[in-house]
């Protein structure tokens, strides 16, 4: 972590090299070096009024954001069909030592991801140090740039505290910011991919290369978390996995039965976690245009209680079929989005299932990480989603909001995007 100026990444030199490209195709890289444009994006994506989440980007991070946007132009300029990717890592309370581990993994990963233009660290202020609220992770990143750590990736990394943080707010905030940068720079959002990634993920180099290939050739990239021993969770034929994934989304009772005693049956618990490893926001990629058209990631999959409507379909277990109590969907916003895609863009799901990419999550390698309580919460969320209960919600004032054709109602948007975004 100590600086080694003979081989350290020179941030200023890299910035100058990125800016000194001139015209690339039809894209003009003469970009104003002031912060008004960044502020314009933030003003555009934030929903007016209280109670909505907001991104807080300090002056130092705003300068990194301009570099990210410049990199987007540089990558997009390599060819009319080349895609750009932006990584969104949700985190908080990270020390310099922990940050160095992330940087080392990102440094290795970016070698296989020429599409990567930048990394957004969307921070939960509640996870930060009580001694230094809201600044622990930010300062760890700033320290890395100041001291020119040798572990720094070439792509710019910027910390973004999310006020009103939830799992979906962090994802939708990064998505809205990415769309805003692309639109301001004149890049078609169909060529921009958002890559949610967990802090503890490591991707083998061969899988990273496959990920980049899939990202360039598909609208969405489906991934699977490797098992604790490093083996593949789904080593079988792609055609078998396709049917299996459809069952997970449409008929979870056939995969996640309600009769398994996850509290006492270790084998059943590990089988459940194997199934739960597929299609997670720990590491995957989505076309920004597709996610934005939907209204973002389902904002009610935010681990907060909501009055979901109940579709009393056969096969839903008793513990799920309560009619009036508030229920919550814990961390399954990823599976919910795949179900949306299957309903409205089935051909894109088929392409993704046939080229699954594998990764390792170091937060999920100890036996303690595989708790029955977590598995039960996630499986409950899957059943709620598959039953269609989350397609309609009863607000506290008694009104019911419907997700028409799966699109998030404007009243529920956490950040403005798509037609609601004016830059």
């Amino acid at each position: 972590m100590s600086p080694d100026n003979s081989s350290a990444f020179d941030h200023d030199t890299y910035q100058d090299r990125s800016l000194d490209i001139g015209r690339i195709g039809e894209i003009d890289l003469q970009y104003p070096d002031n912060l008004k444009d960044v502020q314009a994006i933030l003003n555009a994506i934030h929903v007016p009024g209280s109670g909505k989440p907001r991104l807080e980007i300090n002056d130092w991070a705003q300068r990194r954001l301009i570099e990210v946007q410049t990199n987007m132009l540089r990558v997009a300029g390599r060819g009319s069909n080349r895609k750009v990717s932006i990584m969104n890592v949700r985190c908080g309370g990270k020390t310099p030592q922990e940050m160095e581990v992330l940087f080392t993994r990102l440094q290795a990963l970016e070698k296989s991801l020429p599409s990567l233009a930048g990394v957004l660290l969307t921070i939960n202020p509640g996870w930060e140090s009580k001694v230094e609220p809201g600044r622990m992770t930010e300062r760890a990143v700033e320290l890395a740039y100041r001291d020119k750590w040798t572990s720094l990736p070439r792509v710019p990394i910027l910390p973004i505290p999310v006020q009103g943080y939830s799992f979906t707010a962090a994802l939708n905030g990064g998505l809205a910011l990415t769309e805003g940068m692309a639109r301001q720079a004149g890049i078609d959002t169909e060529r921009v991919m958002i890559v949610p990634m967990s802090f503890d993920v490591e991707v083998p180099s061969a899988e990273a290369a496959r990920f980049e290939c899939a990202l360039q050739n598909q609208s969405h990239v489906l991934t699977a978390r490797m098992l604790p021993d490093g083996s593949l969770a789904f080593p079988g034929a792609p055609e078998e996995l396709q049917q299996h994934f459809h069952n997970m989304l449409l008929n979870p009772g056939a995969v996640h039965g309600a009769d398994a005693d996850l509290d006492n049956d270790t084998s059943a618990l590990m089988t459940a976690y194997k199934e739960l490893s597929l299609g997670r926001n720990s590491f995957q990629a989505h076309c920004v245009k597709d996610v934005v058209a939907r209204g973002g990631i389902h904002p009610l999959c935010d681990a907060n209680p909501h009055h979901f409507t109940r579709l009393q379909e056969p096969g839903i277990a008793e513990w799920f079929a309560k009619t009036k109590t508030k229920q919550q969907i814990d961390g399954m916003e990823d599976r919910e989005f795949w179900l949306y895609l299957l309903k409205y863009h089935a051909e894109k799901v088929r392409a993704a299932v046939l080229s699954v990419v594998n990764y390792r999550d170091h937060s999920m390698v100890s036996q303690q990480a595989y708790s029955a309580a977590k598995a039960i919460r996630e499986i409950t969320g899957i059943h709620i989603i598959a039953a269609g209960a989350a397609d309609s919600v009863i607000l506290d004032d008694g009104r019911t909001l419907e997700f028409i054709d799966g699109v998030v109602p404007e009243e529920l948007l956490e950040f403005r995007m798509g037609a609601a975004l004016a830059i």
Side-chain angles (χ1 to χ4, degrees), residues 52 77 126 225 231:
K52 293 292 186 177
R225 183 178 60 226
S231 61

Side-chain angles (χ1 to χ4, degrees), residues 85-329:
S85 63
I86 298 292
M87 195 170 285
N88 184 355
V89 180
R90 294 174 289 181
C91 63
K94 297 302 181 183
T95 65
Q97 292 75 20
E98 291 172 313
M99 198 61 64
E100 186 180 22
V101 174
L102 173 67
F103 288 168
T104 299
R105 290 174 181 155
L106 289 175
Q107 195 178 65
L109 183 58
E110 71 177 349
K111 294 175 182 176
S112 300
L113 269 62
S115 65
L116 187 60
V119 178
L120 313 178
L121 300 180
T122 44
I123 298 170
N124 181 356
W127 293 343
E128 297 287 77
S129 169
K130 293 181 181 179
V131 177
E132 195 176 11
R135 289 285 292 150
M136 184 176 179
T137 305
E138 287 179 274
R139 291 203 174 172
V141 178
E142 291 169 14
L143 176 69
Y145 278 93
R146 186 197 71 189
D147 292 348
K148 296 184 178 179
W149 294 358
T150 57
S151 61
L152 263 172
R154 292 175 63 86
V155 296
I157 299 170
L158 61 145
I160 307 174
V162 182
Q163 296 302 324
Y165 183 96
S166 70
F167 292 140
T168 58
L171 290 168
N172 284 324
L175 171 68
L177 184 61
T178 298
E179 185 204 8
M181 286 191 291
R183 288 178 57 172
Q184 191 181 73
I187 302 172
D188 185 350
T189 54
E190 193 164 16
R191 295 176 60 196
V192 183
M193 303 287 281
I194 190 75
V195 181
M197 191 178 95
S198 293
F199 193 89
D200 296 302
V201 159
E202 183 173 17
V203 187
S205 58
E207 293 297 305
R210 292 183 61 239
F211 183 83
E212 176 71 11
C213 181
L215 182 149
Q216 291 295 336
N217 290 287
Q218 300 166 190
S219 298
H220 306 272
V221 183
L222 181 67
T223 59
R225 183 178 60 226
M226 298 166 76
L227 300 178
D229 63 2
S231 61
L232 302 185
F234 298 95
E239 292 77 14
E240 296 176 9
L241 179 57
Q242 181 172 336
Q243 185 58 51
H244 190 71
F245 191 46
H246 284 199
N247 281 341
M248 288 182 182
L249 298 175
L250 296 169
N251 183 24
V255 179
H256 301 297
D259 299 328
D261 184 4
L262 300 184
D263 284 307
N264 300 300
D265 188 337
T266 302
S267 176
L269 179 62
M270 293 309 295
T271 297
Y273 269 103
K274 174 185 172 182
E275 312 293 356
L276 291 166
S277 74
L278 187 63
R280 305 306 303 266
N281 277 327
S282 301
F283 182 61
Q284 58 183 335
H286 293 296
C287 171
V288 165
K289 189 171 186 177
D290 285 353
V291 191
V292 164
R294 195 273 168 99
I297 298 299
H298 197 306
L300 302 183
C301 296
D302 57 1
N304 290 307
H306 300 287
H307 281 295
F308 295 113
T309 58
R310 297 297 176 191
L311 303 183
Q312 300 300 323
E313 296 181 354
I316 303 300
E318 277 187 23
W319 48 261
F320 160 72
K322 298 176 183 177
T323 56
K324 295 183 179 180
T325 58
K326 284 187 175 183
Q327 296 290 323
Q328 62 190 50
I329 298 175

